[in-house]
């Protein structure tokens, strides 16, 4: 429930933030862009902190605290009067969310006993996309009432925080089923980074975040603009992407229920190689054929996204050492965040060279290299972690 509530608020405001700051508050595009970019940068510090607090306090309180920080920060965007206000507000929103993210991932790992990691992560992904879609629809209807939207976003964070704080009161730290009580393991992040198998997963996650699923918000509008496509087709591609993720997540989880997690990772890499090839082919077409190819590629993109919840996240949860689940989650979210930060920079730079071929060649090579890393990872990961059947048996 908390995921849906917070996602509705984010869906209302995130797509409109630059427009609001530039058109309504009359800040420069450079400052508006800086406000958008500061959140992911701050997250690189907030993710490890969220992991540490999760191990010390249990996941509910860092989750609630992170959302409450973001709620109060949103108020700073309602009527910013000074240059520093939107940047500071966006930094605090990003900081709060970055603390909550690893705590949420660790909480799902703790409550998914009996080898149900993939199912719970899939349900979380569905809830997130439903919330973002509802928020985006609300934002499009209420466009122009920006201040009201940011107040509603703040309320959504407070609502999510209240739900989780109530959960925290019901179960004191360590009361949620876990491998061990919070804070019981030693070594901290040094022990996490000494896990060479997990390090390989971090590398794969970071690279794929940059060259695959982290490209969603940048490559559709940027490449459509490069092709000269009507913005309506970009909106159609986003709608198709969301619908396919919501409708396809559980079926794909069932399809891979008896297959290894690394099989899902390999499928992710191959799907995105095909996706980028189809995107690239659209540059050699025209008219309706080009539009259909572009939108179809966005659909393939959604298929690739489905493998995150049944591949990367269950592997990360399975590799976590008892008592350090929060820090493992924090490290994994840093890998996601770093990739999400590097991806738009990569796309912007390669498109500035004037050739989409360079962009898609880079993305395809990145996915192919990740596929080679996954092959090695498959050898290193224990069957009890990689195979859902072994995982279920270990919980019996």
């Amino acid at each position: 429930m908390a995921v849906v509530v917070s996602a509705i608020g984010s869906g209302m405001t995130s797509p409109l933030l630059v427009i609001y700051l530039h058109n309504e508050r009359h800040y420069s595009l450079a400052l508006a862009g800086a406000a958008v970019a500061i959140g992911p940068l701050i997250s690189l510090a907030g993710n490890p902190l969220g992991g540490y607090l999760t191990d010390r306090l249990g996941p509910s309180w860092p989750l609630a605290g992170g959302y409450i920080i973001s709620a109060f920060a949103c108020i700073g965007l309602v009527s910013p009067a000074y240059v520093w206000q939107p940047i500071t507000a966006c930094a605090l929103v990003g900081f709060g969310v970055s603390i909550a993210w690893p705590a949420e991932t660790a909480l799902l790992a703790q409550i998914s006993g009996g080898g149900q990691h993939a199912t719970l992560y899939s349900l979380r992904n569905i809830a997130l996309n439903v919330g973002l879609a509802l928020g985006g629809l609300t934002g499009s209807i209420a466009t122009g009432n920006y201040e009201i939207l940011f107040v509603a976003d703040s309320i959504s964070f407070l609502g999510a925080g209240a739900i989780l704080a109530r959960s925290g009161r019901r179960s004191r730290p360590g009361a949620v089923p876990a491998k061990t009580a919070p804070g019981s393991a030693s070594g901290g992040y040094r022990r996490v980074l000494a896990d060479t198998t997990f390090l390989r997963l971090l590398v794969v996650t970071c690279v794929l975040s940059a060259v695959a699923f982290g490209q969603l918000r940048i490559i559709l509008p940027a490449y459509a603009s490069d092709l000269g496509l009507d913005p309506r087709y970009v909106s159609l591609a986003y709608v198709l992407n969301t619908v396919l993720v919501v409708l396809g997540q559980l079926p794909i989880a069932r399809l891979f229920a008896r297959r290894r997690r690394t099989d899902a990772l390999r499928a992710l890499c191959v799907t995105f190689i095909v996706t980028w090839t189809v995107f690239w082919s659209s540059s050699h077409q025209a008219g309706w054929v080009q539009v259909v190819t572009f939108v179809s590629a966005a659909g393939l993109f959604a298929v690739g996204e489905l493998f995150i919840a049944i591949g990367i996240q269950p592997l990360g949860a399975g590799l976590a050492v008892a008592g350090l689940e929060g820090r493992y989650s924090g490290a994994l979210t840093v890998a996601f965040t770093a990739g999400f930060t590097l991806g738009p920079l990569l796309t912007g730079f390669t498109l500035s060279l004037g050739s989409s071929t360079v962009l898609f060649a880079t993305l395809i090579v990145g996915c192919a290299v990740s596929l080679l890393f996954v092959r090695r990872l498959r050898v290193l990961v224990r069957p009890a972690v990689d195979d859902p059947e072994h995982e279920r048996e270990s919980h019996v």
Side-chain angles (χ1 to χ4, degrees), residues 48-262:
L49 177 60
Y52 169 79
L53 292 175
T54 298
D55 284 334
R56 298 297 298 176
L57 305 173
S60 293
W61 289 112
L63 256 172
Y67 282 143
I68 290 170
I69 290 172
S70 296
F72 284 103
C74 281
I75 298 299
L77 290 167
V78 173
S79 296
Y82 302 99
V83 170
W84 58 267
Q85 282 183 285
I87 293 180
T88 303
C90 286
L92 288 173
V93 170
F95 183 68
V97 171
S98 69
I99 290 175
W101 186 5
E104 176 187 287
T105 305
L107 178 62
L108 290 175
Q110 287 184 356
I111 65 178
S112 58
Q116 297 300 310
H117 285 148
T119 301
L120 272 183
Y121 287 127
S122 295
L123 290 172
R124 185 260 181 196
N125 198 30
I126 292 171
L128 177 64
N129 278 274
V130 167
L132 290 173
L134 290 174
L137 179 62
T138 304
S140 65
I141 295 173
T143 298
N145 300 307
Y146 295 106
E147 289 82 1
I148 294 175
L149 289 176
F150 282 104
V151 170
D153 192 11
S154 177
I155 293 172
S156 76
F157 277 124
L158 280 176
I163 292 170
L164 292 161
R166 187 177 180 183
S167 172
R169 285 197 301 269
R170 286 177 177 174
S171 59
R172 63 189 179 278
V176 177
K179 297 175 183 177
T180 58
S184 61
S186 61
Y189 278 108
R190 285 179 298 177
R191 186 172 176 184
V192 173
L193 297 178
D195 185 339
T196 55
T197 303
F198 185 69
L199 275 179
R200 285 182 179 271
L201 179 62
L202 293 183
V203 172
V204 170
T205 301
C206 183
V207 173
L208 287 175
S209 296
V211 303
F213 47 81
Q215 288 284 337
L216 179 63
R217 298 299 171 189
I218 179 65
I219 202 165
L220 292 187
Y223 187 50
S225 177
D226 192 58
L227 293 176
L229 292 179
D230 191 305
R232 289 178 299 174
Y233 300 129
V234 178
S235 298
L236 177 61
Y238 278 126
V239 170
L240 176 63
N241 178 275
T242 301
V243 169
L244 287 177
V245 169
V246 171
L247 297 181
Q249 187 65 76
L250 285 179
I252 204 75
R254 294 191 194 101
L255 182 64
F256 276 76
R258 297 182 181 277
R259 300 186 66 89
R260 297 175 68 172
R261 309 298 191 203
T262 47

Side-chain angles (χ1 to χ4, degrees), residues 272-307:
F272 273 100
I273 289 173
V274 175
T275 298
W276 299 139
T277 303
V278 175
F279 263 121
W280 173 77
S281 70
S282 66
S283 65
H284 300 280
Q285 297 160 354
W288 281 106
V289 175
Q290 185 180 62
V291 172
V292 170
T293 304
F294 178 86
V295 175
S296 299
L300 284 172
F301 194 112
V303 174
E305 288 181 273
L306 300 178
F307 295 109

